[in-house]
Amino acid sequence: MSTTTATHHDDHEDHGHPTGVMRWVASTNHKDIGTMYLWFSLFMFFFAGALALGIRAELFQPGLQFIEPENFNKLTTLHGLIMIFGAIMPAFVGFANWMIPLMIGTSDLAFPRLNNMSFWLMIPAAILLMASIFVPGGAVAGGWTMYPPLSVQNPSMGVDMTILALHILGISSIVGSINIITTILNMRAPGMSLMKMPLFVWTWLITAFLLIASMPVLAGALTMLLTDRHFGTTFFDAAGGGDPVLFQHVFWFFGHPEVYIMILPAFGLISTIIPTFARKPLFGYASMVYATSAIALLSFVVWAHHMFTTGMPVAGQLFFMYSTMLISVPTGVKVFNWIATMWKGSLTFETPMLFSVAVVLLFTIGGFSGLVLAIVPVDIQLQDTYYVVAHFHYVLFSGAAMAIMGAVYYWIPKWTGFMYDESLGKTHFWLTTIAFNITFFPMHFTGLAGMPRRIPDYALQFAEFNMISSIGAFALGVSQLLFLYIVVKTIRGGKLAGDNPWETVEGLEWTVPSPAPFHTFETPPTVK
Amino acid sequence: MIKRTIFSLGAAFLSMFAVNSHAAYALNLRAPATDIAGQVYGLHMLILWICIGIFILVFGLMFYSIFKHRKSVGHKAVQFHENHLLEVVWTIIPVIILAAMAYPATKTIVAMKDTSAADMSIKVTGSQWKWAYDYLDQDVKFISTLSTPQDQVHNKAEKGENYLLEVDNPLVVPVGKKVKILLTASDVIHAWWVPSFGVKQDAIPGFVRETWFRADKTGTYRGQCAELCGKAHGFMPIVVEVKEQADYDAWLSAQKDAAAAADAGADKEWTKVDLVAQGEAVYNKNCSVCHGATGAGIPPAFPAMTGSAVATGPLEGHLDIILNGKNIMPAWRDVLNDTDIAAVIAYERNALGNSTGDFIQPSAVKAAR
Ligand code: HEM
Ligand SMILES: [Cu+2]
Ligand SMILES: [Cu+2]
């Protein structure tokens, strides 16, 4: 793959570059690869979203209507896995690709060919995940957490395909993280000290370390699962001296940092957007950096808060409760900083800002429900109920996914050279926010009232709220088609954006033309 | 058009809240029936109100800023970006609030974990997809499974009041007594959860975990399995009946009499017709989840009974797999009595499309154990 076969432009200084399919397959350009990541993520978002609508269709009314219980479990599992590994994480990598070199004033990532590999590894993994639906026995059905013995018991090849897919995605993430860390630490424009980096770059630097530390742990858990399934080991089987709970410890040692992997870059995006539309600098830059680092470190000592019902000693429950509660301190600092950034600004509410403000507000609701869940006695009541489903959708959908949408509106003028349609963007925002809350807010109530998660059918007292949730979900799903339409429309033309479409924005990315040319910052700018 | 959609959605949403006095729109934790559940309820309310307070304060400020500090009302940005005192203050205050939450929570945790001085102990075993209850030192044990008819699940019949939350044999306990639950599982992880008791504990195969409750009020309390355990995870409820001590004692001796009668039944000589008739009930209750009500199974994971080499082959092999299990097929040795095992064998061999004509007597099952 080192030489391009299609058009023979081996000279990389040349401004021509491969065209057609090879431009993408053999690409070593951070912008092209970023674009591919973003499209990939959007596709997977729709795919996993369609699965979610399958879930919500079945839950529209009590009784079994469309989906047999085995298949229902496959839907929830694949929905979760694909949203996490296929939609949210790749979207952030897409932003990292596009924006980090532009933000730190360098021409590309440190290892462009590795970058190509990171992306193209995603494709076989995605195919394995999606194809597992069609093999005999079907896709994984044990929840995205894949706890044994259930996932050892399931004889389907689909489970093995998923394990393989996650291994591949893990390699892709680790390679990508090494690339990002190397780029950030070595290739900043002269004068850009670490403490002058845009906050998005900071959050990605920290996220990349989290990825490198946590993905191998997942790989270990999955490998043990695989050998338990096929080679007679008994890591997770008490009959052979193993322990099913061991898997949960190892899994969540990965799993909790993983949730911060999905939210820290979103914090970075919000911290970039809010100052632009408040027309004043980010409040408490240094404390934002420290808070992000503190969250990252703490995220490695809270994992067992997912396991309060497994039966831990009192000391264990207390330790994990206190450490989890502690995370809300740096998280609170961030929220306060965002609001202080808005305070006494000169605020305008273009679509990216609307999304950012909504993220601050709705993510905080998710943070509060997280605090409720940190309190062990309350968690014991709420663990594995719809309350938890509400909690993590407030942090993942209205935290991560909506931050991503806002950032797309923010930078799409830079990517395409055209402004998006502001009134359509605002419509998309309001539809998404309203439908999101109709879908997920009632889940707090069903969870409190005692509805377990991962069930295809439920008792009659949950019927009303489930119907509301399902109506909201379909509205939410359909609203996202509008997002697709807006993105495509912007790519195809519109009002010219100019180098800097946002009045007072700072940052090196706004000093290059729009659309950003194929090569930028071949000679680094100087930062004062 | 879009405005109208938003409007009608909003209206639909609001209209649904208009009737929220209706019990169906339950908004909060279920009414506690134990002291622990009461503490959990109180803790949740405490934290909820603290969170709501902080939320109103913080987002009140945000919305104030959104309305007052906007460019369209002519507000000019004030360029400040640091205030160390403020930053220290809003780091310290949350720590204090958290400590105030942690203190009562810690007390409840310690109380929840105290399984000492129990009045009685019950061993609970989760398995796909039923609960087995074994009253230790009482020689009373039984299986508890969902009793909601399949027709209701498949929308062919009107759903009853306790749809999916009803079982054939509820757990029965005396009021005011500390009941210790020893929890385990035979196949995958399950979780035994009764919301009104504030009890949820994973049942882990190969390990025994403990939890406890002391119900203050008589009544019927319903819960569900709370850990994904396979396809019928949504269909393995828990029902606990809390009775006055005297009623409980009467129930207990009735259970013992029934067990003795079943034992006696094992020694008598049964006819094929009677065994097949009893076998149908045993099969539908215990086996049809995996092997199908018609015996078709769900190949390849769950083999068909119709035409099965084992169920139409030698009797010893048939008896062996039912007593001892194999891979995912559970062992029924400790779950079903001799009569039930003989009956289900007779049923599988002479119904479900099979007709080997042979069967074994309960006494033979007893001998084979
Ligand atoms: C259209 C929007 C969405 C809808 C309607 C939706 C709906 C649902 C529902 C109903 C469940 C619960 C299934 C169950 O426990 O029975 C679920 C689970 C889950 N969702 Fe979503 N979701 C959406 C978007 C997202 C997004 C953006 C993420 C981001 C990562 C996400 C991540 C998850 C995860 C991790 C699970 C847990 C899966 C499991 O139980 O193993 N979802 N979703
Ligand atoms: Cu966690
Ligand atoms: Cu279960």
Side-chain angles (χ1 to χ4, degrees):
Chain A
M1 210 179 278
S2 62
T3 53
T4 50
T5 44
T7 45
H8 304 285
H9 275 294
D10 283 341
D11 181 0
H12 287 283
E13 302 311 315
D14 195 307
H15 278 269
H17 45 81
T19 53
V21 179
M22 286 317 282
R23 165 171 175 191
W24 304 102
V25 174
S27 177
T28 54
N29 180 284
H30 71 102
K31 301 188 186 80
D32 279 358
I33 294 177
T35 305
M36 289 195 288
Y37 264 110
L38 290 168
W39 277 115
F40 173 84
S41 145
L42 190 62
F43 174 79
M44 297 307 261
F45 183 69
F46 277 105
F47 185 85
L51 299 180
L53 295 188
I55 301 175
R56 286 309 334 166
E58 177 55 52
L59 294 176
F60 184 66
Q61 283 184 319
L64 293 178
Q65 283 86 20
F66 312 108
I67 299 165
E68 284 305 308
E70 308 88 289
N71 294 333
F72 183 90
N73 291 343
K74 291 172 195 163
L75 280 189
T76 57
T77 307
L78 273 189
H79 161 71
L81 283 171
I82 294 182
M83 277 293 181
I84 292 174
F85 291 98
I88 304 291
M89 291 170 68
F92 286 136
V93 184
F95 280 108
N97 258 284
W98 249 103
M99 302 319 298
I100 289 179
L102 288 180
M103 288 177 136
I104 64 174
T106 184
S107 57
D108 207 314
L109 291 188
F111 308 114
R113 286 199 174 80
L114 278 186
N115 195 16
N116 173 292
M117 183 178 108
S118 298
F119 175 76
W120 285 103
L121 279 176
M122 314 267 312
I123 305 297
I127 292 173
L128 277 172
L129 272 178
M130 293 193 285
S132 73
I133 301 172
F134 303 104
V135 300
V140 272
W144 85 279
T145 48
M146 295 181 288
Y147 284 179
L150 188 61
S151 54
V152 173
Q153 185 193 65
N154 182 349
S156 171
M157 190 177 132
V159 183
D160 305 306
M161 292 167 76
T162 305
I163 292 177
L164 186 59
L166 293 179
H167 272 313
I168 298 175
L169 291 172
I171 296 173
S172 161
S173 289
I174 293 170
V175 170
S177 301
I178 293 174
N179 210 343
I180 288 172
I181 293 174
T182 315
T183 309
I184 297 176
L185 292 185
N186 296 305
M187 294 167 64
R188 296 189 310 280
M192 182 175 284
S193 64
L194 281 175
M195 289 310 270
K196 277 191 189 159
M197 290 195 315
L199 210 78
F200 177 67
V201 180
W202 254 116
T203 53
W204 240 115
L205 180 64
I206 292 167
T207 303
F209 277 106
L210 284 184
L211 277 166
I212 290 181
S214 67
M215 293 312 271
V217 180
L218 173 67
L222 292 173
T223 306
M224 288 190 272
L225 202 61
L226 193 72
T227 61
D228 268 16
R229 284 172 59 78
H230 296 295
F231 306 117
T233 58
T234 52
F235 294 108
F236 308 130
D237 181 356
D243 185 348
V245 179
L246 172 67
F247 177 89
Q248 301 183 19
H249 281 293
V250 183
F251 180 88
W252 286 112
F253 192 85
F254 143 81
H256 195 85
E258 170 67 19
V259 309
Y260 286 99
I261 289 166
M262 290 189 282
I263 201 64
L264 294 183
F267 289 170
L269 296 172
I270 300 301
S271 306
T272 312
I273 296 172
I274 290 181
T276 301
F277 298 95
R279 295 174 178 72
K280 70 194 257 287
L282 183 67
F283 185 89
Y285 173 92
S287 70
M288 284 295 215
V289 172
Y290 301 139
T292 312
S293 314
I295 293 176
L297 288 176
L298 282 174
S299 77
F300 283 105
V301 294
V302 298
W303 75 90
H305 65 205
H306 299 272
M307 302 166 54
F308 285 141
T309 59
T310 55
M312 265 181 253
V314 176
Q317 294 195 331
L318 292 180
F319 173 81
F320 287 106
M321 176 172 84
Y322 299 150
S323 60
T324 305
M325 293 174 82
L326 215 52
I327 288 203
S328 55
V329 174
T331 313
V333 166
K334 289 187 155 275
V335 172
F336 300 144
N337 280 342
W338 289 321
I339 292 173
T341 307
M342 290 164 67
W343 192 254
K344 298 207 166 154
S346 179
L347 298 166
T348 53
F349 295 92
E350 287 84 349
T351 311
M353 183 63 166
L354 286 175
F355 271 101
S356 301
V357 173
V359 168
V360 175
L361 190 121
L362 298 174
F363 171 82
T364 305
I365 296 182
F368 281 138
S369 57
L371 186 58
V372 170
L373 290 168
I375 309 295
V376 176
V378 183
D379 176 78
I380 287 181
Q381 195 68 291
L382 296 176
Q383 186 261 355
D384 263 327
T385 67
Y386 260 83
Y387 192 90
V388 174
V389 177
H391 158 67
F392 67 68
H393 283 90
Y394 269 82
V395 293
L396 289 177
F397 194 106
S398 63
M402 282 175 62
I404 291 169
M405 291 172 192
V408 168
Y409 286 109
Y410 185 65
W411 279 313
I412 206 168
K414 181 54 60 190
W415 299 337
T416 64
F418 301 114
M419 282 311 276
Y420 61 89
D421 183 326
E422 191 63 63
S423 61
L424 280 184
K426 285 185 173 155
T427 310
H428 170 232
F429 165 77
W430 285 110
L431 286 175
T432 303
T433 308
I434 293 169
F436 168 80
N437 283 293
I438 297 178
T439 311
F440 291 103
F441 207 79
M443 292 183 189
H444 292 112
F445 302 135
T446 46
L448 283 166
M451 177 167 164
R453 72 192 266 214
R454 297 171 169 170
I455 57 173
D457 192 5
Y458 48 83
L460 300 182
Q461 73 253 38
F462 308 123
E464 288 78 4
F465 280 133
N466 270 285
M467 191 174 277
I468 299 175
S469 278
S470 289
I471 293 170
F474 277 86
L476 184 57
V478 172
S479 312
Q480 301 322 309
L481 295 174
L482 180 60
F483 181 56
L484 180 65
Y485 172 77
I486 297 171
V487 169
V488 172
K489 183 167 177 257
T490 312
I491 294 172
R492 300 183 57 175
K495 204 170 110 242
L496 286 183
D499 295 1
N500 186 351
W502 313 120
E503 241 166 82
T504 56
V505 70
E506 287 181 31
L508 291 174
E509 78 262 36
W510 304 107
T511 62
V512 303
S514 303
F518 199 66
H519 295 294
T520 38
F521 294 129
E522 282 172 290
T523 47
T526 310
V527 179
K528 296 172 295 300
Chain B
M1 166 65 201
I2 284 158
K3 276 209 183 103
R4 200 178 317 141
T5 328
I6 298 178
F7 181 76
S8 50
L9 263 175
F13 191 54
L14 289 178
S15 71
M16 287 164 155
F17 276 98
V19 287
N20 78 359
S21 56
H22 189 290
Y25 285 96
L27 298 176
N28 206 344
L29 293 168
R30 287 191 209 167
T34 64
D35 175 48
I36 292 286
Q39 294 186 29
V40 171
Y41 193 98
L43 272 173
H44 173 255
M45 291 320 289
L46 170 75
I47 294 155
L48 182 65
W49 285 118
I50 294 179
C51 289
I52 289 177
I54 301 175
F55 188 87
I56 291 176
L57 188 76
V58 171
F59 290 97
L61 286 173
M62 186 176 93
F63 278 105
Y64 177 85
S65 172
I66 286 178
F67 289 112
K68 295 289 177 179
H69 304 152
R70 40 166 80 226
K71 195 179 169 202
S72 56
V73 299
H75 196 273
K76 294 269 177 313
V78 183
Q79 301 294 329
F80 62 92
H81 62 91
E82 252 174 6
N83 183 333
H84 288 302
L85 178 65
L86 195 60
E87 289 172 58
V88 170
V89 167
W90 70 38
T91 312
I92 305 282
I93 290 182
V95 174
I96 297 169
I97 298 177
L98 290 175
M101 294 177 177
Y103 178 69
T106 304
K107 285 207 298 202
T108 305
I109 293 174
V110 173
M112 283 175 120
K113 279 284 174 186
D114 177 14
T115 50
S116 64
D119 298 309
M120 59 185 283
S121 301
I122 303 175
K123 181 174 170 220
V124 180
T125 310
S127 55
Q128 288 170 322
W129 289 278
K130 55 186 172 290
W131 295 100
Y133 297 114
D134 183 351
Y135 288 64
L136 298 181
D137 311 324
Q138 295 291 346
D139 230 21
V140 167
K141 55 181 177 181
F142 54 87
I143 307 262
S144 175
T145 52
L146 178 73
S147 62
T148 302
Q150 284 297 310
D151 279 355
Q152 292 188 13
V153 176
H154 290 101
N155 310 310
K156 294 188 194 114
E158 179 89 25
K159 295 183 174 41
E161 188 194 349
N162 293 312
Y163 176 68
L164 296 188
L165 296 178
E166 50 200 349
V167 296
D168 50 1
N169 302 310
L171 181 69
V172 179
V173 296
V175 69
K177 290 281 153 62
K178 182 163 183 176
V179 181
K180 178 151 101 179
I181 300 283
L182 298 161
L183 205 59
T184 187
S186 65
D187 37 40
V188 301
I189 303 176
H190 305 263
W192 197 80
W193 178 34
V194 182
S196 299
F197 293 173
V199 167
K200 183 189 286 150
Q201 171 61 54
D202 289 0
I204 298 163
F207 295 84
V208 177
R209 296 284 203 259
E210 294 182 349
T211 182
W212 67 276
F213 61 87
R214 184 200 308 262
D216 318 318
K217 290 188 277 268
T218 57
T220 305
Y221 301 96
R222 296 169 199 278
Q224 281 179 274
C225 176
E227 179 65 55
L228 179 60
C229 56
K231 69 188 170 83
H233 163 56
F235 306 91
M236 54 182 290
I238 293 144
V239 178
V240 183
E241 272 177 19
V242 179
K243 291 189 193 292
E244 294 295 347
Q245 185 69 41
D247 298 341
Y248 169 74
D249 291 339
W251 173 86
L252 198 65
S253 60
Q255 289 293 309
K256 288 180 179 165
D257 293 348
D263 252 8
D267 296 327
K268 84 169 202 216
E269 197 72 11
W270 285 67
T271 67
K272 187 167 102 183
V273 181
D274 286 348
L275 273 180
V276 172
Q278 174 154 353
E280 179 170 11
V282 177
Y283 182 88
N284 286 333
K285 184 170 163 213
N286 298 293
C287 322
S288 61
V289 260
C290 294
H291 296 298
T294 61
I298 313 172
F302 303 108
M305 286 296 107
T306 313
S308 146
V310 177
T312 58
L315 276 161
E316 299 77 56
H318 195 174
L319 176 60
D320 178 66
I321 192 167
I322 295 176
L323 278 179
N324 300 316
K326 184 178 171 193
N327 302 325
I328 300 175
M329 164 74 179
W332 298 92
R333 175 184 290 278
D334 296 328
V335 177
L336 296 178
N337 64 32
D338 301 331
T339 314
D340 285 347
I341 291 182
V344 80
I345 291 179
Y347 179 71
E348 287 187 341
R349 301 180 79 84
N350 299 292
L352 301 173
N354 299 332
S355 52
T356 58
D358 54 354
F359 65 101
I360 56 175
Q361 288 294 340
S363 50
V365 177
K366 198 174 192 175
R369 280 190 190 254

